[in-house]
Amino acid sequence: MSIHLLPPEVASQIAAGEVVERPASVVKELLENALDAGARQITISIEGAGRRVVEVDDDGCGIPTDELAMSVARHATSKLFSADDLFSITTLGFRGEALASIGSVARMTITSRPAVQESGGRLRVEAGLSMPVELVGVPIGTSVRVEDLFYNVPARLKFLKAEVTERRQIDSLVTRYALAFPHVRFSLQQESRSALQTSGNGSRREVLASLYGVEIARKMVEVMAKDDSIAITGFISPPTLTRSTRREITFFINGRPVQDASLTAAVVQGYHSLLMVGRYPLAILFLELPPNAVDVNVHPTKAEVRFREPDRLFSAVQRAVRRVLMAYTPVPEITDQLRWSISPRQPDPAWQVNNEGDYPSSLTSGRIPSALNGIQTSAGTPSLPGSRTPLLRLIGQIALTYLVAEGPDGLYLIDQHAAHERVLYEKLMTQQAKAEHGSPGDKRENVIPSQSLLQPVAVEIPPANARLLNDQLPILAHLGFTVEPFGQATFLVRAVPALLAKLDPTAALRVLVEDFEEDETPLQTEIEARIIARICKRAAVKAGQVLSPEEQRALLTDLEACVSPRTCPHGRPTMIHLSVDLLERQFGRKGAR
Ligand code: ADP
Ligand code: MG
């Protein structure tokens, strides 16, 4: 084939492919235009999961009739004049590509009237061909109707996902914009049913409820952080509310939804040691930066951006998340439902209680209502102020697993294993941090106090894992272990961190290499933290282990000294709190229902 220029309609279909990938991309571009136009009310109507119809109506500034024809030309925009403007962009659009792209892969009708005009104009575009503009009587604002998306690009149609998937995409897209612009009234109609309606009253939590449901929206913790040039607001989930993927971590940079792996990692790091391995928080964060600190022009759909100071942003996000979590993490509370009563949600006849509050009849037939039903391990209302443990007076140990203690505001049950894990973890992390910042002359090994074993212990590791362990030897040395290779898959342990002197070296080495391989390439600091968490789990006292009163008291004192005493490093709660108030209710002294 000889070299030739592509016919314009082919070239524009190719270009359109970058901007319009699926129905949700059409919705996104039209929404952004409406928002750029200063709309206070936006109505989105979807039919056929967006393939048959996407219509977006707004009450924004409108397009002058004599500019309508120009609006659908490629690279035609009212938002940018020179390349310099790219670094002071305050609008969502600026590439002048959306209307042209959509028009080349669908049938599009734009109807618009600016406030200064008596009537409006209407322009139809089919597969990139514009018809003459007509004059029409319409209200102020713009309506863009897109029909039969990709009708002239059948290859694209084949790549679309199932209708449910496309619909869900559109739902979550619109909801996220609604969150970013809580002062705009959004109305989303999917197949003529209302999928979302916001009031535009400015309340983000209200919009959040339509994204995640009322229950979750209530639990989400608000973030509000500001330093000289970065403002971070939004919501993050308490550590008890997690997902198995990072997908529910969303960012808006200056009102623009953006995917960014590094910022996502910053959020996850903010939860460091509060979440179980493989669990991720939900977060929706709005970052406001000076426009010149972001390059938004790196991607046709503008979904990726580049930052001038990525590291600074990273730590700002991480710090904001961390600070909120530290102030938040509540002790799980036993709720009122602990009474022998039925919550209205579970009308199980076996649970019926008569009005005098007698025991349920089922008790006599051997069914005992579980008191656990009343325990909310999820974070309810935060028990502010602060996350520290109050001073506790030890009462004793029960079931060889839990410590019972009195605090100023009631009874505390402490899981001895989880608590000890937390204590060891924080002690080691502190030693490690000190080692990191130690004087330059320090040797890197043995910076964490370590204790030599009387007899070195030879530990055999499955050959597949031996290499992994070999790679980690420098880290282990840094943490106070002295481990040497000793033949093919055997290692010699000569010393362990002094803090963990009671640890069984064989068990310790083995936990280190368990399921490490599935990891991508965790950061060095992350590896160390994870190694420490694992070893602490192994070294901590077990459930079922007798503790002397001195040991119990020491554990409580150590826990009081922790920065995050309320969860173990893997995110499980270390303690449950029964407030005096609750006890009084339980005993019918007060506010009995
Ligand atoms: P961009 O948004 O990048 O400028 P578009 O192709 O999306 O490019 O739109 C082209 C132009 O059409 C915009 O710059 C704007 O002037 C006008 N426009 C599009 N949609 C609307 C709308 N809903 N209200 C007012 N003007 C609009
Ligand atoms: Mg646009």
Side-chain angles (χ1 to χ4, degrees), residues 209 212-220 241 376:
Y212 295 122
V214 179
E215 193 63 15
I216 291 185
R218 209 173 43 80
K219 284 185 191 156
M220 297 287 278
L241 182 64
Q376 280 202 329

Side-chain angles (χ1 to χ4, degrees), residues 163-307:
E163 294 212 337
V164 270
T165 315
E166 298 295 340
R167 255 185 238 126
R168 207 180 311 128
Q169 283 268 339
I170 295 174
D171 268 353
S172 81
L173 179 97
V174 175
T175 316
R176 295 204 151 92
Y177 275 93
L179 269 168
F181 295 87
H183 292 285
V184 177
R185 279 169 64 97
F186 285 78
S187 161
L188 171 63
Q189 307 286 322
Q190 293 250 34
E191 326 295 336
S192 57
R193 270 178 304 104
S194 167
L196 174 76
Q197 173 72 62
T198 68
S199 65
N201 70 358
S203 160
R204 278 193 172 143
R205 209 180 275 272
E206 218 177 278
V207 185
L208 209 56
S210 35
L211 183 57
Y212 295 122
V214 179
E215 193 63 15
I216 291 185
R218 209 173 43 80
K219 284 185 191 156
M220 297 287 278
V221 190
E222 189 152 14
V223 178
M224 261 194 253
K226 185 159 172 52
D227 73 8
D228 43 354
S229 63
I230 307 173
I232 304 171
T233 55
F235 298 90
I236 58 175
S237 59
T240 42
L241 182 64
T242 58
R243 291 282 188 270
S244 60
T245 71
R246 299 173 175 86
R247 237 172 285 145
E248 295 289 347
I249 304 178
T250 318
F251 295 95
F252 282 80
I253 315 283
N254 296 344
R256 185 191 306 281
V258 160
Q259 290 149 11
D260 189 279
S262 145
L263 291 184
T264 305
V267 170
V268 174
Q269 278 207 12
Y271 281 79
H272 178 65
S273 90
L274 296 174
L275 297 182
M276 275 187 259
V277 180
R279 301 300 295 179
Y280 301 94
L282 293 78
I284 175 145
L285 292 176
F286 303 90
L287 278 57
E288 298 292 331
L289 322 175
N292 65 3
V294 201
D295 181 358
V296 287
N297 189 33
V298 281
H299 197 266
T301 65
K302 299 159 280 177
E304 287 166 26
V305 296
R306 225 175 269 135
F307 302 109

Side-chain angles (χ1 to χ4, degrees), residues 29-30 32-38 56 58 60-64 67 70-73 75-80 91-101 110 112 141-144 302:
E29 294 297 337
L30 298 183
E32 292 193 346
N33 282 346
L35 290 164
D36 282 346
V56 176
D58 68 57
C61 67
I63 306 173
E67 291 179 16
M70 178 60 87
S71 71
V72 298
H75 311 304
T77 179
S78 57
K79 303 169 191 174
L80 186 77
T91 51
L92 295 167
F94 57 87
R95 294 172 61 108
E97 284 183 316
L99 292 184
S101 295
I110 308 177
S112 190
T142 303
S143 147
V144 181
K302 299 159 280 177

